[in-house]
Amino acid sequence: PTTYHSMGARKTASGDLSFKIWLPHAREAVLRITAPDGSVTRIPLQRTGEDWVATVPGGFAKHVGSSYMVELVDSRGQA
């Protein structure tokens, strides 16, 4: 089944920021959020099967207007 509708950054009903990405061969993954003022927040992602996930309590309102990217270590240990 396709799960694209649950991937990426999403606002939960409680206002949290939920993030999910498919990285089946990654060894590590960190969500890097860059605010409009240039400040950076890094949030470790947790592996669940082939997906990597994180939830930031109250994070949706805090990170409105921010951009995100994923920093990862691949299956060969390369960043």
Side-chain angles (χ1 to χ4, degrees):
T2 313
T3 59
Y4 65 87
H5 59 277
S6 66
M7 296 292 172
R10 300 202 166 266
K11 179 182 180 181
T12 68
S14 61
D16 297 341
L17 174 63
S18 174
F19 188 84
K20 181 177 181 181
I21 189 165
W22 182 68
L23 296 168
H25 303 294
R27 288 189 183 175
E28 284 180 48
V30 175
L31 179 62
R32 177 184 167 150
I33 302 173
T34 304
D37 68 3
S39 61
V40 173
T41 302
R42 284 186 172 81
I43 300 163
L45 297 169
Q46 302 299 313
R47 185 193 250 324
T48 59
E50 293 186 340
D51 299 331
W52 290 78
V53 299
T55 299
V56 182
F60 189 82
K62 178 179 178 185
H63 295 294
V64 168
S66 298
S67 62
Y68 68 85
M69 63 179 285
V70 176
E71 299 171 340
L72 64 97
V73 175
D74 69 16
S75 61
R76 296 176 300 176
Q78 302 295 312

